[in-house]
Amino acid sequence: MQPAVVQLKQLAPRFELTRKNLLGARHLPGGVYSSPEIYAMEKERIFMTHWLSVGRVDEIPNVGDYMTFSVMDEPILISRPADDEISVCMNMCLHRGVAVANGCGNAKDFSCPYHAWLFDVGGKLIAAPGMKESEVDLKGARMKPLPVKIWRGWIFTTFSENPRPFEDFIATYEEKLWWFQSGECKTAHKVEIDVKCNWKFLVENLIDIYHVGVIHKSTFGGFVKGEKIKFNLEKDGGWHTQYEARPHSKSGEQVFPTLPWAKDKSSGIACKAGIYPNLNLSMRADSLRMWHVWPTSPGTTRVVCYLLFPEEAFSIPDFDEELKKYSGFVEQIIYEDAAMVESLQNASGSKFFQPGPMAPLEEALHHLENHYIDVMTGEQ
Amino acid sequence: MDDEWVAVAQCADIDEDDTHAVRVDGREVCLYNVAGAFFATDNKCTHGDADLSDGLIQDGHLIECPLHEGTFDIRSGRAMSAPCTEAIRCHDLRVQDGVIYLRVAS
């Protein structure tokens, strides 16, 4: 295959169709969802430059707690070296690059499984056995630290050497998302599901109201009035909206206590937002969710959905059972979507696939797909 | 009581500045010959998963863990250098007629 830049040049006339105004526009061409070269370029242009949420502070509450994660094959170590400190660094031994930490847990230090180089919880080298005679100065050496910013309970980091100021990146959401008080919440459960499609299909799917009444008819689709939804489009591919819908339960009845900040609002309040590239934030009267969409290969994606509640929800009678039902409900939604986006993925690689026209309800997708073209073809 | 002492090795089994691992009551113990004087500690490092009997004796009376090179004072069990911070348990040792006897601390 041709290099990504050449492929993108060849797709330029198709991008022009996505560039048209909403009612005349077509979706992105299949190539951007199926090409390995374009996927590699997305890593550099998108995931290696943006601020990314990689977890929550309440996942590592105690000193020594850690978790490991990979962003498009870049292994990172997220840890709490001190009570008031969260650290993110590359999880690569300074000797040969082996991951020194695995999974998650609590540790006093990390011993590389290969040659036993030892690192403290924050990634600083403590010991390099058998290296006394080495002429290389290892004093003060540490695994490459990444910047860390905490926003409403989320740990944000970036791989960029020259990141945009975080405050600037988050300003719109800090100002507009009064309803996403995730800093006041605890993680009740994390739903993780692998889906066989390109990451962008899932990000788009999470914005797509048009499909809700069709495929989610038996879960929550019947409770959403799609035609009444108006999106607020923000710069850099961001968006947010508020509409009427029922809580996320099979019957549509509210199960958990009303969120403190939604008490003076309609019981049918629903809010949603997207932070580019891969976050989808959502509220119903009794719950918050944040979806992370992680590319794992051009045609595979991992969805990580955090289910969040304020403290008082955890003490309702039968909480565990209700949580199980609720989390099963969320999983069911993902499975309903997965069947569609996997079929979509199949079509994207076909020479017969022609992207169709956008629906009026796909305003936020139009915004997002156009932002994608900006990011991939614009100046860096 | 005399019967608490268990014969575990011959002095001749351990060269000067060397170590020797033995098992007493299901416990791994490391014996040391420090310039002709004998000592005993637990064999497992208090830091990582390593046997001190595989380490080297340094500066006369320090045992260096083979995994991360932290050290303990063989005579007192004290942790002497990073990453070791927790002392290693010492055991009573007696030599009689070229035989090493141990009284293992519980």
Side-chain angles (χ1 to χ4, degrees):
Chain A
M1 284 295 274
Q2 302 275 11
V5 276
V6 176
Q7 291 183 40
L8 289 172
K9 258 201 187 106
Q10 286 165 350
L11 291 173
R14 317 272 294 267
F15 289 154
E16 285 314 308
L17 302 177
T18 307
R19 289 278 195 210
K20 290 189 172 185
N21 69 36
L22 174 65
L23 300 180
R26 285 179 179 269
H27 284 288
L28 287 170
V32 303
Y33 301 95
S34 56
S35 155
E37 293 78 17
I38 291 178
Y39 177 83
M41 189 171 167
E42 286 170 351
K43 175 178 174 182
E44 294 312 316
R45 283 229 168 186
I46 301 173
F47 285 86
M48 292 297 112
T49 60
H50 284 65
W51 284 96
L52 303 167
S53 160
V54 292
R56 274 182 68 77
V57 293
D58 67 2
E59 291 182 272
I60 46 170
N62 305 309
V63 174
D65 284 353
Y66 72 94
M67 51 192 176
T68 56
F69 190 65
S70 262
V71 177
M72 297 179 96
D73 298 327
E74 300 295 345
I76 56 171
L77 167 63
I78 305 150
S79 61
R80 191 184 284 268
D83 237 348
D84 56 353
E85 188 191 351
I86 299 255
S87 140
V88 179
C89 65
M90 296 307 296
N91 185 11
M92 284 181 187
C93 183
L94 295 176
H95 178 222
R96 299 301 301 271
V98 165
V100 303
N102 287 290
C104 59
N106 183 277
K108 281 197 173 63
D109 44 40
F110 300 104
S111 179
C112 177
Y114 201 9
H115 300 97
W117 283 35
L118 190 74
F119 298 85
D120 73 13
V121 172
K124 194 168 159 285
L125 183 68
I126 303 172
M131 293 293 287
K132 280 179 196 147
E133 281 142 44
S134 163
E135 289 171 7
V136 177
D137 184 15
L138 290 169
K139 217 155 131 206
R142 59 187 313 136
M143 295 191 286
K144 183 182 168 51
L146 300 180
V148 178
K149 292 285 177 179
I150 309 298
W151 182 71
R152 300 191 186 183
W154 301 98
I155 303 164
F156 277 85
T157 191
T158 175
F159 293 90
S160 170
E161 295 291 340
N162 269 311
R164 175 180 173 191
F166 179 78
E167 292 66 26
D168 176 33
F169 159 80
I170 208 72
T172 302
Y173 310 99
E174 174 57 25
E175 185 195 335
K176 307 271 174 72
L177 304 192
W178 61 268
W179 49 269
F180 195 71
Q181 297 298 333
S182 51
E184 310 296 312
C185 289
K186 274 175 36 185
T187 306
H189 186 57
K190 229 165 121 178
V191 175
E192 297 189 57
I193 294 182
D194 290 315
V195 183
K196 291 195 198 76
C197 74
N198 183 269
W199 67 278
K200 298 188 294 300
F201 279 141
L202 270 167
V203 171
E204 291 161 19
N205 178 80
L206 286 167
I207 310 174
D208 173 8
I209 297 294
Y210 188 26
H211 79 270
V212 169
V214 185
I215 70 168
H216 301 305
K217 204 163 51 191
S218 66
T219 42
F220 74 108
F223 308 131
V224 177
K225 293 186 175 58
E227 69 278 9
K228 294 209 173 136
I229 295 176
K230 172 79 192 120
F231 288 96
N232 300 289
L233 306 177
E234 301 289 349
K235 61 176 185 168
D236 304 316
W239 56 274
H240 55 98
T241 182
Q242 182 172 328
Y243 53 101
E244 284 289 311
R246 308 267 291 274
H248 269 351
S249 71
K250 212 167 160 82
S251 65
E253 293 302 317
Q254 183 171 332
V255 173
F256 302 98
T258 304
L259 300 172
W261 50 93
K263 278 189 174 140
D264 58 345
K265 305 286 190 284
S266 146
S267 64
I269 189 168
C271 299
K272 244 172 140 30
I275 301 179
Y276 201 79
N278 69 335
L279 298 177
N280 189 283
L281 298 64
S282 158
M283 179 191 86
R284 289 290 198 275
D286 64 347
S287 60
L288 292 187
R289 283 161 300 288
M290 177 130 106
W291 306 73
H292 295 65
V293 176
W294 293 111
T296 48
S297 79
T300 59
T301 297
R302 169 158 289 197
V303 179
V304 183
C305 181
Y306 285 73
L307 310 181
L308 308 166
F309 297 111
E311 190 73 50
E312 60 262 33
F314 291 81
S315 49
I316 65 161
D318 305 325
F319 174 76
D320 290 343
E321 202 180 309
E322 291 299 346
L323 174 63
K324 215 168 146 190
K325 277 195 243 167
Y326 167 56
S327 120
F329 183 84
V330 171
E331 281 174 33
Q332 181 59 31
I333 294 173
I334 301 175
Y335 288 129
E336 287 170 355
D337 286 330
M340 297 301 109
V341 289
E342 290 183 3
S343 178
L344 203 53
Q345 183 65 31
N346 186 52
S348 73
S350 163
K351 62 181 176 182
F352 299 109
F353 175 67
Q354 289 293 340
M358 292 191 193
L361 275 176
E362 292 178 313
E363 187 187 14
L365 269 83
H366 180 252
H367 177 61
L368 190 84
E369 291 178 32
N370 274 284
H371 181 64
Y372 174 80
I373 300 173
D374 293 343
V375 174
M376 292 296 282
T377 63
E379 292 290 315
Q380 268 200 304
Chain B
M1 285 190 336
D2 268 3
D3 59 2
E4 288 174 341
W5 292 96
V6 184
V8 291
Q10 306 281 332
C11 292
D13 293 341
I14 317 171
D15 291 338
E16 198 153 306
D17 286 336
D18 206 354
T19 61
H20 182 68
V22 294
R23 208 173 172 83
V24 189
D25 295 341
R27 192 178 194 109
E28 284 271 351
V29 174
C30 182
L31 306 176
Y32 308 86
N33 178 343
V34 176
F38 291 90
F39 297 91
T41 73
D42 272 354
N43 197 21
K44 271 284 172 257
C45 178
T46 56
H47 171 256
D49 182 17
D51 292 338
L52 297 180
S53 57
D54 294 333
L56 294 174
I57 294 178
Q58 309 271 7
D59 303 333
H61 58 273
L62 298 180
I63 179 66
E64 183 187 72
C65 174
L67 190 57
H68 298 124
E69 298 180 344
T71 54
F72 299 94
D73 188 319
I74 292 166
R75 302 162 302 182
S76 63
R78 216 171 120 201
M80 299 302 285
S81 69
C84 301
T85 52
E86 190 189 325
I88 193 101
R89 186 188 293 260
C90 295
H91 301 289
D92 291 341
L93 178 147
R94 190 175 91 177
V95 177
Q96 200 174 343
D97 302 330
V99 176
I100 298 173
Y101 295 86
L102 278 189
R103 190 161 62 180
V104 172
S106 54

